[in-house]
């Protein structure tokens, strides 16, 4: 087993050649689409002129990060899973006490002049690794019982609670959702799943009244109001959703043409180059192209899950599925939010939205999937 | 080795379920996308089209004012202008300092602008510079985007191409003040407007609030109920919304003021495409909402004759009215010196205004219409007609003038100390003998003189359709009793007999009087608005006067200018084809010459300082045998009617005849073809 930790020049090249290049090329294509749309959305605003170039530079860096992560042996990923998880959890605790504000919530941890990190974003990856490592170790006593799943639940809830307190509703939800997927894959009893589901739905009013902060409640209110079709208060969230829908709806089947989107070019939609980038795509390219982009994402995610299913090791399986679940929820929450199906929770669209954090998460997630692919025949038995 | 463990089979099963659920969720997203982009597309397309459209109030273009031949007297042009909006600028002073780096803007002016922005509602643009040079406009347009609250645009501006020439007739436009807005809203309360416009105005200007004092004022006059007040506030907001618009000006004086509703037009809107920040991207087609321009108004005046008249006065201060005797058209209506109405359009500075107000030649005063002067000897025609009509004398009767006239315990003097000898009406008119007219006035009596004076146009405030106008005074017993409670004394009649005493007439009235004499007593009524709003005036027809009498008077007026001994003989001949005018000189006493002064040889003139000198008057018509034009000339402190006023009248009448000023007018209807400058959209 030790041999797998040492590289030779030959094995390195073989590893590179064995990377899932189809998947990587699809990701690169998606990134190029993102750049094209981003250019259109920032074109009319002189203050945003430099953004496409910066995004392009980040994409190149992200690709390098992806390759490095892919070539990182899966066994090392496994070894580092626990330290990474607890380190991130510790950082979340630090945020609780020393966090820096950004956009109404304390999410950032910064050592002035050196680094500025958002531990909640790391947690998406490290939680996946921890859960994968956990179930990998407990493979022999897999059962639907609580005894095995309760620690997993604790692993999820500890960071979820901390992140919820920041408060960051979107990330909390994403964390619970993708963690929940892994618990489901690990074989939790169906009746337990049903019970939890019913309880969760039943608890919504309680959460709404006692747990949510005012601004979060407002978002939910806005969401409920627009679902029923009424025009909500024009400023703030309601405005954003309304403008987004107008942009998307007016795009029609084939769109208004590149750089021709009235909504997009006239800066009607706040955050249109970040969280609401899909509105630009939908307005200028129309239903057909937007659907194609979503199908392309489904293909990418499907390839990632296929890699997971082909993995011999349970760690590989859980890690790949956890990574794909994380990306899936990013995309689902973002698109559902932009289309007015979910409240505005502030989730970006991977590879399309402008921004560095989500790109790093995406690169690491897919790097992990590639690592699983390279180690698909290793059992990683720690016995 | 896959699926060798039971856990692997379970994982694969569940993985497929999870993948399936994920695929279903993504399909749901695509379905939603289909709903928005395909099924509901039309609805959102409409919303997108309306999204960036903002309605901006567009003030109407004010109608032009033209002379009788269609030459513009008041028109519009576009001027580069800078405004500042306090709400957007934040620190107005800092922005102005920036502006001062590019254009000349003194610290004092900056202070004044800052003061003005504080006085106005924060969203109202305040003028920084009302007229920019082309270079400054170009410079500021370039830097304006970086200076918050700065608005640089080509703004429509009222322009008076003839400058001072028509200052008193046209008046000027200016910004509406609080009282103006209040009064207009008050008048508009009863009349309704189209609901669509009303709604738009209301939403656009909902921020305008009626001040507490105005509210109280309205309550006092309308104690009934508060729904009245609400209705009024609504109207007030609409009215002030338009009137306070940065490009809106209202007539403040003259024809501009009185013909306001005719000239103004109706406000409309412009559709502007804006981005989310409210910045205007471009103007969209707005023809359906376009403001209705005001109608053009034509005056009866001949702009060239007006100019010649003013120039002829030179440095003299005075007034002249030239009238077409056939129809009463006023061809020249001059009061000089005058102000430049262009200075008032964007607000005149206090110092400039003070200079105008303190000028001892009163440039702000409309001497031809608002000024009243003792008509002096020009009144003698009226007394002559009255004498013949009442039968107290005959044309042949002679009265002997030895320079003085005794009545009661007092002595009245003739202007010619050694007297005129025995004179009949013809001679008395020609030499302007005072003694003859003292005698006639005494015989006729004040009531007959007064009523005949009114028949010929004196003592009436002639409505012309511009601000101002004075009735002057035609005194009689009733008038005096009402004024002083004392009866009329016959001695006062003697003063009226030579056009002095309480008698006062405006140059306009003297022109009317002359026109009526020239036409043998026809009811010539003056008018200055050729095509425009109806001028309401009910003027009674003149009673017919015996043509024989009128001929006598006209002959005597011809003698004044054309027979040896005539007081205006030197000026009788016109410059046109040997035509002659008929007229009458006059001197309006500014103050009585005391007996002491008379004895010491001061008879006026050079011996007295200017402000105490008499006014020189002259009235005339021409040609004398087929009258076409009537004129009155007053030269303030000009001393002698024959020396100062008559030559001016002669030159003006000559010019009118030479140019044929009274020829068929060409009143331009409210078409804007051949406009001075085309209007463009936003800049």
């Amino acid at each position: 087993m030790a041999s797998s930790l040492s590289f030779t020049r030959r094995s390195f090249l073989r590893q590179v050649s064995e990377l899932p290049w189809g998947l990587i090329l699809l990701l690169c294509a998606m990134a190029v689409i993102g750049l094209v749309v981003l250019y259109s959305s920032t074109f009319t605003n002189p203050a945003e002129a430099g953004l496409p170039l910066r995004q392009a530079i980040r994409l190149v860096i992200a690709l390098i990060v992806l390759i490095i992560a892919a070539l990182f042996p899966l066994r090392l990923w496994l070894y580092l899973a626990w330290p990474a998880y607890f380190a991130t959890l510790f950082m979340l605790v630090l945020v609780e006490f020393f966090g820096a504000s950004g956009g109404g919530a304390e999410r950032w941890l910064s050592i002035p002049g050196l680094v500025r990190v958002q531990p909640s974003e790391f947690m998406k990856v490290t939680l996946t690794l921890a859960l994968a490592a956990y179930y990998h170790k407990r493979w022999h006593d897999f059962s639907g019982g609580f005894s095995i799943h309760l620690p997993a639940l604790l692993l999820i809830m500890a960071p979820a609670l901390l992140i919820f307190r920041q408060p960051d509703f979107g990330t909390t939800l994403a964390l619970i959702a993708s963690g929940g997927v892994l618990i489901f894959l690990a074989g939790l009893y169906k009746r337990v799943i049903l019970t939890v589901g019913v309880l969760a739905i039943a608890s919504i009013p309680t959460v709404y009244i006692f747990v949510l902060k005012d601004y979060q409640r407002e978002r939910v209110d806005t969401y409920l109001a627009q679902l029923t079709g009424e025009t909500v208060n024009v400023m703030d969230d309601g405005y954003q959703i309304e403008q987004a829908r107008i942009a998307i709806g007016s795009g029609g089947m084939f769109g208004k043409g590149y750089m021709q989107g009235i909504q997009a070019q006239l800066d009607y939609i706040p955050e249109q180059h970040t969280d609401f980038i899909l509105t630009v795509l939908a307005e200028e390219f129309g239903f057909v192209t937007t659907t194609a982009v979503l199908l392309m994402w489904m293909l990418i995610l499907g390839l990632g899950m296929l890699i997971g299913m082909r993995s011999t090791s349970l760690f590989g399986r859980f890690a790949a599925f956890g990574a794909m679940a994380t990306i899936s929820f990013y995309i689902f929450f973002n698109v559902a939010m932009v289309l007015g199906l979910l409240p505005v929770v502030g989730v970006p669209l991977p590879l399309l939205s402008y921004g560095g954090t989500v790109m790093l998460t995406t690169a690491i997630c897919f790097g992990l999937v590639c690592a699983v692919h390279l180690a698909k025949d290793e059992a990683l038995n720690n016995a | 080795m896959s699926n060798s463990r039971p856990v692997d089979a379970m994982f694969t099963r569940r993985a497929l379920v999870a993948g399936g659920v994920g695929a279903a969720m993504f399909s749901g997203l695509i379905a939603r996308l289909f709903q928005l982009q395909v099924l509901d597309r039309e609805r959102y397309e409409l919303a997108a089209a309306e999204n960036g459209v903002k309605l901006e109030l567009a003030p109407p273009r004010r109608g032009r004012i033209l002379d009788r031949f269609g030459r513009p007297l008041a028109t519009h042009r576009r001027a580069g202008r800078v405004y500042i909006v306090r709400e957007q600028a934040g620190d107005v002073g800092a922005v102005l300092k920036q502006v001062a780096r590019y254009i000349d803007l003194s610290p004092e002016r900056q202070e004044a602008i800052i003061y003005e922005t504080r006085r106005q509602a924060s969203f109202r643009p305040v003028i920084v510079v009302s007229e920019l040079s082309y270079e400054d406009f170009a410079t500021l347009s370039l830097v304006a985007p970086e200076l918050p609250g700065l608005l640089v645009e080509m703004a429509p501006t009222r322009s008076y191409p003839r400058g001072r020439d028509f200052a008193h007739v046209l008046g000027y436009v200016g910004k509406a003040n609080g009282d103006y807005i209040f009064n207009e809203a008050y008048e508009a309360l009863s009349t309704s407007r189209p609901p669509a416009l009303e709604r738009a105005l209301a939403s656009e200007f909902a921020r305008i609030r009626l001040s507490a004092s105005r509210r109280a004022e309205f309550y006092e006059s309308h104690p009934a109920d508060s729904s009245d007040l609400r209705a009024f506030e609504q109207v007030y907001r609409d009215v002030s919304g338009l009137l306070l618009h940065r490009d809106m000006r209202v007539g403040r004086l003259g024809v501009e003021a009185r013909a306001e509703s005719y000239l103004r037009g109706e406000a409309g809107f412009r559709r502007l495409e804006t981005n989310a920040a409210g910045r205007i991207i471009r103007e969209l087609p707005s023809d359906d909402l376009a403001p209705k321009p005001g109608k053009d108004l034509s005056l009866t005046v001949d702009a060239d004759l007006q100019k010649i008249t003013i120039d002829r006065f030179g440095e003299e201060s005075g007034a002249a009215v030239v009238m077409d005797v056939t129809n009463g058209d006023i061809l020249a209506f001059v009061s000089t010196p005058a102000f430049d109405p262009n200075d008032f359009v964007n607000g005149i500075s206090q110092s400039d205004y003070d200079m105008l107000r303190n000028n001892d030649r009163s440039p702000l005063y409309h001497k031809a219409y608002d000024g009243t002067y003792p008509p002096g000897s020009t009144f003698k025609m009226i007394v002559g007609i009255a004498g013949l009509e009442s039968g107290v004398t005959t044309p042949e009767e002679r009265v002997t003038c030895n320079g003085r006239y005794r009545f009661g315990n007092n002595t009245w003097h003739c202007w010619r100390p050694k007297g005129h000898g025995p004179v009949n009406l013809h001679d008395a008119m020609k030499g302007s003998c005072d003694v003859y007219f003292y005698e006639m006035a005494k015989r006729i009596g004040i009531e007959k003189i007064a009523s005949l004076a009114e028949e010929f146009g004196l003592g009436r405030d002639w409505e012309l359709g511009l601000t101002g106008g004075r009735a002057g005074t035609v005194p009689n017993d009733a008038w005096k009793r009402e004024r002083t409670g004392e009866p009329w004394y016959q001695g006062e009649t003697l003063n009226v007999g030579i056009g002095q005493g309480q008698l006062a007439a405006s140059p306009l009235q003297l022109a009317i009087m002359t026109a009526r004499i020239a036409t043998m007593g026809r009811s010539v009524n003056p008018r200055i608005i050729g095509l425009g709003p109806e001028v309401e005036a009910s003027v009674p027809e003149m009673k017919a006067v015996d043509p024989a009498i009128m001929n006598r008077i006209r002959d005597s007026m011809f003698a004044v200018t054309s027979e040896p001994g005539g007081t205006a003989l030197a000026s009788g001949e016109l410059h046109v084809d040997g035509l002659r005018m008929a007229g009458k000189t006059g001197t309006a006493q500014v103050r009585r010459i005391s007996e002491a002064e008379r004895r010491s040889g001061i008879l006026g003139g050079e011996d007295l300082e200017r402000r105490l000198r008499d006014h020189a008057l002259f009235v005339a018509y021409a040609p004398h045998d087929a009258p076409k034009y009537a004129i009155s000339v007053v030269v303030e402190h000009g001393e002698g009617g024959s020396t100062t006023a008559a030559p001016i009248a002669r030159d003006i009448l000559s010019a009118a005849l030479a140019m044929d000023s009274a020829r068929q007018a060409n009143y331009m209807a409210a078409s804007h073809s051949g406009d001075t400058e085309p209007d463009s959209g936003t800049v």
Side-chain angles (χ1 to χ4, degrees):
Chain A
M1 281 300 154
S3 63
S4 67
L5 287 176
S6 61
F7 290 103
T8 63
R9 186 183 155 76
R10 198 179 147 74
S11 70
F12 175 77
L13 284 175
R14 202 184 70 237
Q15 297 236 18
V16 169
S17 69
E18 281 176 4
L19 280 173
W21 284 107
L23 177 67
I24 293 170
L25 282 177
L26 277 174
L27 288 170
C28 289
M30 185 64 81
V32 170
I33 292 173
L35 276 180
V36 168
V37 177
L38 180 69
Y39 182 74
S40 175
S41 85
T42 56
F43 178 69
T44 45
N45 191 341
E48 297 173 349
L51 300 194
L53 183 66
R54 281 173 66 182
Q55 180 83 341
I57 294 169
R58 281 179 181 159
L59 281 169
V60 172
I61 295 172
L63 185 63
I64 295 168
V65 168
L66 186 151
I67 304 278
I68 292 173
L71 297 175
F72 210 62
L74 196 62
R75 177 168 294 277
L76 260 187
W77 282 102
L78 176 59
Y79 285 157
L80 290 177
W82 289 112
Y85 174 81
F86 285 109
T88 315
L89 197 63
F90 179 66
M91 281 200 284
L92 280 175
V93 175
L94 284 184
V95 169
E96 177 79 17
F97 293 105
F98 309 108
S101 290
E106 291 181 352
R107 293 174 192 177
W108 301 87
L109 195 60
S110 65
I111 302 167
L114 282 176
V115 280
R116 202 170 129 85
V117 292
Q118 201 178 335
S120 58
E121 202 57 36
F122 287 156
M123 186 46 89
K124 286 175 182 164
V125 181
T126 52
L127 175 66
T128 292
L129 289 174
L131 285 171
Y134 173 73
Y135 283 122
H136 180 74
K137 187 165 174 102
R138 302 288 298 271
W139 68 272
H140 51 275
D141 47 29
F142 257 43
S143 72
F146 271 121
S147 57
I148 177 171
H149 296 298
L150 203 59
L153 192 66
L154 286 177
L155 286 177
I156 297 168
M157 292 317 289
L161 272 175
L162 285 168
I163 293 168
F164 185 77
R165 282 176 56 86
Q166 286 180 355
D168 184 350
F169 197 52
T171 307
T172 309
L173 215 63
L175 221 54
I176 293 175
S178 47
V181 167
L182 292 191
I183 292 183
F184 167 77
L185 292 175
L188 185 67
Y189 286 145
K190 280 171 197 149
R191 55 187 148 85
V192 177
I193 295 169
L194 281 177
T195 312
V196 169
V198 169
L199 277 178
I201 291 168
S203 72
I204 286 173
T206 321
V207 171
Y208 177 81
I209 296 169
F210 297 108
V211 185
L212 293 186
K213 301 214 167 176
D214 278 346
Y215 85 95
Q216 290 168 326
R217 247 196 299 275
E218 263 172 43
R219 284 184 174 186
V220 176
D221 289 347
T222 311
Y223 160 68
L224 291 175
Q226 63 87 31
L227 265 194
T228 56
E230 67 185 85
T231 313
V232 284
N233 61 323
V234 187
M235 295 328 280
D236 305 329
D237 293 340
Y239 172 81
Q240 202 172 5
I241 292 170
E242 186 65 24
Q243 294 300 332
R245 275 206 295 190
I246 290 172
I248 295 166
S250 62
M253 187 66 89
F254 301 105
K256 295 173 187 165
Y258 186 47
M259 314 254 280
Q260 302 297 313
I262 293 170
Q263 297 286 102
Q265 301 300 329
L266 297 184
D267 289 341
Y268 266 94
I269 306 157
E271 316 256 357
Q272 55 158 325
H273 62 284
T274 57
D275 291 357
F276 279 75
I277 191 79
L278 191 77
T279 61
V280 182
L281 179 74
E283 186 184 14
E284 300 190 346
F285 296 91
F287 172 74
V288 173
T289 310
T290 311
T291 303
V293 167
L294 287 180
L295 288 175
M296 194 167 144
W297 261 123
M298 284 170 75
L299 179 62
I300 291 171
L301 294 167
L303 286 175
M305 288 192 274
L306 205 62
I307 287 172
M309 284 168 74
R310 283 185 183 150
S311 170
T312 308
S313 67
L314 277 178
F315 177 73
R317 292 183 170 209
F318 279 98
F321 267 87
M324 289 305 94
T326 300
I327 302 295
S328 298
F329 281 114
Y330 261 125
I331 297 166
F332 181 79
F333 283 154
N334 176 276
V335 176
M337 165 184 92
V338 171
L339 295 182
L341 292 171
L342 279 181
V344 177
V345 283
V347 176
L349 187 57
L351 293 184
L352 293 169
S353 288
Y354 175 83
T357 311
V358 63
M359 203 184 293
L360 198 63
T361 309
T362 309
I364 293 174
C365 282
F366 282 99
L368 178 58
V369 168
C370 292
V372 171
H373 176 77
L374 290 180
K376 60 177 181 289
D377 297 327
E378 295 177 38
L380 301 182
N381 284 330
N382 46 0
Chain B
M1 128 165 222
S2 68
N3 294 350
S4 59
R5 298 164 290 186
V7 63
D8 290 339
M10 190 270 301
F11 184 93
T12 306
R13 220 168 44 239
R14 291 214 166 187
L16 287 173
V17 170
V21 169
M25 283 164 75
F26 271 61
S27 301
L29 294 181
I30 292 172
R32 169 71 169 174
L33 201 61
F34 185 77
Q35 183 206 347
L36 289 177
Q37 293 203 284
V38 181
L39 302 182
D40 294 344
R41 180 184 58 102
E42 264 177 59
R43 191 177 121 202
Y44 291 114
E45 262 178 2
L46 195 69
E50 283 175 355
N51 209 344
V53 177
K54 188 182 115 190
L55 286 184
E56 192 193 68
L57 187 74
R61 192 174 52 187
R62 198 173 175 83
R64 296 176 303 165
I65 302 177
L66 312 167
D67 85 341
R68 66 188 286 113
F69 304 122
R71 289 175 289 213
L73 309 179
T75 180
H76 30 72
R77 64 188 168 78
R78 302 209 144 234
R81 189 170 298 166
V82 199
Y83 305 89
I84 191 159
V85 186
R86 171 157 60 93
E87 194 177 65
Q88 290 160 23
D91 185 352
V92 174
V95 175
L96 289 178
K97 272 209 185 68
Q98 290 283 314
V99 173
R101 283 171 46 198
Y102 300 103
I103 62 168
D104 184 37
L105 198 65
S106 69
E108 294 77 40
R109 179 79 191 118
Q110 292 180 34
E111 279 304 311
I113 295 163
I114 293 169
Y115 174 75
E116 185 65 18
T117 56
R118 291 211 186 104
R119 238 167 46 87
Q120 298 274 349
S122 64
F123 63 94
R124 290 234 168 266
V126 167
I127 292 180
V128 176
V129 181
S130 58
E131 192 133 10
L132 285 170
S133 69
Y134 180 78
E135 289 78 20
D136 285 350
F137 179 75
T139 313
L140 278 187
S141 299
L142 275 178
V143 299
E146 276 134 53
L147 297 172
L150 207 67
L151 203 61
V152 182
E153 60 181 30
M154 294 298 285
T157 300
R158 191 63 159 174
S159 160
Y160 301 100
R162 300 261 170 173
R164 293 162 199 271
D165 291 5
F166 287 94
H168 301 103
V169 176
L170 300 177
Y172 49 81
V173 295
K175 288 191 160 179
N177 61 17
D179 287 336
Y180 192 100
I181 295 165
F182 184 86
N183 290 336
E184 183 163 323
Y186 195 88
E187 280 162 28
L189 189 56
S190 52
T191 63
S192 59
R193 342 147 131 272
L197 184 70
E198 184 129 32
R199 268 199 309 279
L201 283 172
S203 66
E204 186 91 351
F205 300 105
R207 284 195 283 179
I208 299 161
R209 285 263 163 271
L210 209 52
S211 77
S213 62
R214 292 270 177 231
R215 204 184 274 257
E217 224 172 275
F218 191 80
Y219 266 131
E220 269 170 38
S221 53
H222 276 70
D225 67 321
S226 64
S227 70
D228 271 0
L229 181 69
R230 276 199 297 278
F232 178 71
E233 279 182 328
Q234 178 64 44
V235 172
Y236 184 89
R237 268 199 294 277
D238 292 355
V239 169
S240 62
L242 176 61
L243 294 188
L244 291 176
H245 188 280
R246 61 183 182 278
D247 292 339
M248 191 67 193
R249 298 289 185 276
V250 295
R252 302 307 305 271
L253 197 74
V255 175
E256 291 274 34
R258 289 293 301 277
E260 176 64 26
S261 57
Y262 182 90
L263 291 167
R264 183 185 289 179
E266 279 172 39
F269 292 92
R270 292 190 303 171
R271 276 194 193 90
L272 300 173
E273 186 176 280
T274 57
N275 67 7
R279 183 171 277 277
I280 294 160
I281 306 298
R282 65 192 159 122
E283 187 172 349
L284 301 169
S286 342
D287 290 345
D288 53 327
L289 296 176
K292 274 208 205 115
K295 293 193 279 283
D296 285 353
L297 183 153
S298 291
L299 298 181
T300 60
V301 294
D302 173 359
D304 288 347
L305 186 66
Q306 180 92 354
K307 169 120 181 72
I308 289 166
T309 306
I310 291 167
D311 289 349
R312 182 60 186 80
F313 268 84
E315 292 297 301
E316 298 284 4
S317 146
V321 180
V322 181
M323 193 181 280
D324 180 342
V325 299
T326 59
N327 57 15
D329 279 3
I330 295 173
L331 299 168
F333 204 23
V334 167
S335 173
T336 184
F339 56 91
D340 187 344
N342 290 304
D343 294 342
F344 285 80
V345 174
N346 292 312
I348 188 169
S349 74
Q350 190 62 46
S351 62
D352 288 354
Y353 188 75
D354 286 344
M355 268 171 64
L356 288 171
R357 209 178 47 186
N358 298 332
N359 187 322
D360 64 354
R361 290 169 193 234
S362 352
L364 292 173
Y365 194 55
H366 192 181
K367 301 180 185 85
Y369 197 31
D370 299 340
T372 59
Y373 305 85
S377 300
T378 62
F379 190 67
K380 285 173 179 167
M381 283 87 84
I382 301 298
V383 180
I385 294 167
L388 294 177
E389 239 196 356
S390 60
V392 298
T393 184
T394 62
E396 293 75 28
E397 187 197 354
R398 288 184 182 273
V399 172
T400 301
C401 167
N402 55 11
R404 61 189 71 193
Y405 185 81
R406 285 201 65 87
F407 180 75
N409 296 325
N410 289 314
T411 303
W412 277 258
H413 296 270
C414 183
W415 68 271
R416 196 176 191 194
K418 60 177 182 174
H420 290 83
V423 287
N424 60 11
L425 173 63
H426 190 83
D427 298 336
M429 280 286 288
K430 184 170 67 180
S432 201
C433 174
D434 290 339
V435 169
Y436 177 89
F437 287 98
Y438 292 140
E439 173 63 20
M440 288 305 140
K442 189 185 76 180
R443 292 189 200 170
I444 301 161
I446 188 64
E447 300 303 329
K448 169 71 182 167
I449 294 172
S451 71
L452 199 72
E454 281 167 4
E455 281 283 298
F456 277 84
L458 271 54
R460 157 181 290 275
D461 182 4
W462 291 92
E463 179 58 64
L464 294 177
L466 49 131
T467 52
R470 292 268 298 275
T473 309
V474 177
N476 64 3
D477 184 51
W479 175 86
K480 194 182 173 194
R481 280 175 195 277
E482 194 187 322
R483 278 290 279 277
T484 64
E486 285 182 40
W488 184 265
Y489 297 117
Q490 215 175 354
E492 293 172 291
T493 311
L494 304 194
N495 287 336
V496 171
I498 61 160
Q500 303 285 353
Q502 301 292 340
L503 196 64
S506 67
L508 173 69
Q509 289 169 336
L510 295 179
I512 295 165
M513 177 189 83
T514 310
R516 288 184 166 196
I517 291 168
T519 54
M520 311 282 286
R522 263 186 50 205
S523 303
V524 181
N525 293 328
R527 60 174 204 145
I528 196 163
I529 294 191
L531 182 73
E534 238 11 75
V535 175
E536 282 176 37
S538 58
V539 182
E541 281 288 306
M542 276 185 80
K543 284 203 291 279
V545 183
D546 182 356
I549 295 174
M550 293 310 298
N551 272 328
R552 293 268 175 201
I553 295 298
R554 282 180 35 168
D555 284 350
S556 68
M557 286 174 76
F558 181 64
V560 169
T561 63
S562 309
E563 288 177 10
T567 50
L569 182 60
S571 308
E573 188 174 349
L574 303 179
H575 311 311
V576 187
D577 299 334
L579 293 176
R580 298 193 75 89
M581 65 175 177
K584 182 73 194 78
T585 54
T587 304
Q589 257 178 25
V590 169
R591 48 153 240 166
R592 276 187 87 86
I593 296 168
S594 70
E595 275 306 311
E597 283 168 335
R598 201 180 293 277
R599 288 204 195 96
S600 62
I602 295 174
L603 296 176
E606 314 297 298
D607 310 325
L608 287 165
E609 60 173 304
R610 181 181 178 274
R611 66 182 178 84
L612 297 176
R613 282 185 220 152
D614 294 341
H615 300 317
L617 278 72
F618 192 75
V619 300
Y621 59 86
H624 78 279
D625 48 352
K628 212 166 176 181
Y629 302 98
I631 188 171
S632 66
V633 173
V634 175
V635 182
E636 287 194 330
H637 311 294
E639 274 300 332
S642 57
T643 51
T644 330
I648 293 177
R650 173 197 61 202
D651 293 347
I652 295 166
L653 284 176
S654 300
L657 282 163
M659 296 189 301
D660 195 10
S661 290
R663 70 182 182 276
Q664 183 65 51
N666 174 26
Y667 295 136
M668 307 264 283
S671 83
H672 278 275
S673 56
D675 227 339
T676 45
E677 280 148 282
D679 266 8
S680 60
T682 39
V683 171

